[in-house]
Amino acid sequence: MEPIMAIVVGLLYAAAIYMMLRRSIVKLVIGLMLISNAANLLIFTSAGMTRGGPPLIPEGAVLPEGVIADPLPQALILTAIVIAFGVLAFAVVLIHRAYNILRTDNLDQMKDTDT
Protein backbone atom coordinates (compact mmCIF):
# COMPACT_ATOMS: atom_id res chain seq x y z
CA MET A 1 0.00 0.00 0.00
CA GLU A 2 2.91 2.39 0.67
CA PRO A 3 4.14 2.41 -2.97
CA ILE A 4 0.68 3.36 -4.17
CA MET A 5 0.47 6.13 -1.60
CA ALA A 6 3.92 7.38 -2.62
CA ILE A 7 2.72 7.64 -6.23
CA VAL A 8 -0.42 9.47 -5.12
CA VAL A 9 1.65 11.91 -3.05
CA GLY A 10 3.95 12.52 -6.02
CA LEU A 11 0.98 13.14 -8.32
CA LEU A 12 -0.55 15.55 -5.83
CA TYR A 13 2.71 17.49 -5.54
CA ALA A 14 3.07 17.56 -9.35
CA ALA A 15 -0.51 18.79 -9.82
CA ALA A 16 -0.04 21.40 -7.08
CA ILE A 17 3.13 22.79 -8.60
CA TYR A 18 1.51 22.84 -12.05
CA MET A 19 -1.49 24.74 -10.71
CA MET A 20 0.70 27.19 -8.78
CA LEU A 21 2.62 28.07 -11.95
CA ARG A 22 -0.54 29.16 -13.83
CA ARG A 23 -1.37 32.83 -14.29
CA SER A 24 -4.75 32.74 -12.54
CA ILE A 25 -4.80 33.51 -8.84
CA VAL A 26 -7.69 31.05 -8.36
CA LYS A 27 -5.51 28.26 -9.76
CA LEU A 28 -2.76 29.39 -7.39
CA VAL A 29 -5.06 28.82 -4.42
CA ILE A 30 -6.15 25.44 -5.79
CA GLY A 31 -2.47 24.53 -6.03
CA LEU A 32 -1.98 25.70 -2.45
CA MET A 33 -4.80 23.39 -1.34
CA LEU A 34 -3.33 20.47 -3.26
CA ILE A 35 0.16 20.97 -1.85
CA SER A 36 -1.30 21.11 1.66
CA ASN A 37 -3.17 17.85 1.12
CA ALA A 38 -0.06 16.26 -0.39
CA ALA A 39 1.99 17.22 2.67
CA ASN A 40 -0.67 15.76 4.98
CA LEU A 41 -0.76 12.53 3.00
CA LEU A 42 3.04 12.38 3.06
CA ILE A 43 3.09 12.65 6.86
CA PHE A 44 0.36 10.03 7.11
CA THR A 45 2.18 7.63 4.77
CA SER A 46 5.61 8.10 6.32
CA ALA A 47 4.20 7.24 9.75
CA GLY A 48 3.32 3.78 8.48
CA MET A 49 0.13 2.28 7.16
CA THR A 50 -0.58 -0.05 10.07
CA ARG A 51 -4.07 -0.66 11.30
CA GLY A 52 -4.16 -0.63 15.06
CA GLY A 53 -6.24 0.18 18.07
CA PRO A 54 -6.16 3.34 20.14
CA PRO A 55 -3.01 3.78 22.26
CA LEU A 56 -4.73 3.14 25.58
CA ILE A 57 -3.07 1.20 28.39
CA PRO A 58 -5.43 -1.08 30.31
CA GLU A 59 -5.58 -0.72 34.07
CA GLY A 60 -2.82 -2.66 35.78
CA ALA A 61 -0.77 -3.12 32.57
CA VAL A 62 2.56 -1.53 31.71
CA LEU A 63 2.22 -1.55 27.93
CA PRO A 64 -0.77 -1.41 25.59
CA GLU A 65 -2.01 -4.75 24.32
CA GLY A 66 -1.74 -5.60 20.63
CA VAL A 67 -0.90 -3.33 17.73
CA ILE A 68 -1.57 0.34 18.40
CA ALA A 69 -1.80 3.35 16.11
CA ASP A 70 0.77 6.12 16.49
CA PRO A 71 -1.14 9.24 17.63
CA LEU A 72 1.60 11.78 16.81
CA PRO A 73 1.18 11.81 13.00
CA GLN A 74 -2.58 11.99 13.44
CA ALA A 75 -2.23 15.01 15.71
CA LEU A 76 0.19 16.68 13.28
CA ILE A 77 -2.16 16.11 10.36
CA LEU A 78 -5.17 17.39 12.28
CA THR A 79 -3.26 20.55 13.18
CA ALA A 80 -2.11 20.95 9.58
CA ILE A 81 -5.68 20.59 8.29
CA VAL A 82 -6.88 23.35 10.60
CA ILE A 83 -4.01 25.65 9.61
CA ALA A 84 -4.53 24.91 5.90
CA PHE A 85 -8.23 25.74 6.23
CA GLY A 86 -7.38 29.06 7.85
CA VAL A 87 -4.87 29.89 5.11
CA LEU A 88 -7.41 28.90 2.46
CA ALA A 89 -10.10 31.10 4.00
CA PHE A 90 -7.68 34.04 4.14
CA ALA A 91 -6.60 33.45 0.52
CA VAL A 92 -10.21 33.32 -0.71
CA VAL A 93 -11.01 36.62 1.02
CA LEU A 94 -7.83 38.14 -0.38
CA ILE A 95 -8.67 36.95 -3.90
CA HIS A 96 -12.20 38.30 -3.62
CA ARG A 97 -10.92 41.69 -2.50
CA ALA A 98 -8.25 41.81 -5.21
CA TYR A 99 -10.79 40.88 -7.88
CA ASN A 100 -13.23 43.56 -6.70
CA ILE A 101 -10.53 46.22 -6.91
CA LEU A 102 -8.66 45.15 -10.05
CA ARG A 103 -11.41 43.27 -11.97
CA THR A 104 -8.98 40.55 -13.03
CA ASP A 105 -7.58 37.31 -11.68
CA ASN A 106 -4.53 37.31 -13.96
CA LEU A 107 -1.36 37.62 -11.89
CA ASP A 108 0.48 39.43 -14.71
CA GLN A 109 -2.13 42.19 -14.70
CA MET A 110 -1.95 42.51 -10.91
CA LYS A 111 1.62 43.83 -10.97
CA ASP A 112 0.47 47.44 -11.07
CA THR A 113 -0.02 48.66 -7.49
CA ASP A 114 -1.23 52.19 -8.31
CA THR A 115 -4.92 51.26 -8.46
Side-chain angles (χ1 to χ4, degrees), residues 40 43 71-85:
N40 291 340
I43 293 170
L72 182 64
Q74 295 173 11
L76 288 174
I77 291 170
L78 184 61
T79 305
I81 289 171
V82 172
I83 291 171
F85 182 73

Side-chain angles (χ1 to χ4, degrees), residues 43-95:
I43 293 170
F44 182 71
T45 304
S46 66
M49 303 286 290
T50 58
R51 189 176 286 227
L56 301 174
I57 301 174
E59 191 172 327
V62 179
L63 295 173
E65 298 172 354
V67 179
I68 60 167
D70 187 11
L72 182 64
Q74 295 173 11
L76 288 174
I77 291 170
L78 184 61
T79 305
I81 289 171
V82 172
I83 291 171
F85 182 73
V87 169
L88 176 65
F90 177 73
V92 167
V93 169
L94 190 64
I95 288 171

Side-chain angles (χ1 to χ4, degrees), residues 10-67:
L11 289 174
L12 278 174
Y13 272 116
I17 291 171
Y18 176 78
M19 293 298 281
M20 291 174 77
L21 292 175
R22 302 292 94 204
R23 298 198 190 287
S24 172
I25 197 164
V26 174
K27 291 179 183 177
L28 177 77
V29 171
I30 292 171
L32 186 66
M33 269 186 350
L34 284 175
I35 209 161
S36 170
N37 289 333
N40 291 340
L41 195 58
L42 179 67
I43 293 170
F44 182 71
T45 304
S46 66
M49 303 286 290
T50 58
R51 189 176 286 227
L56 301 174
I57 301 174
E59 191 172 327
V62 179
L63 295 173
E65 298 172 354
V67 179

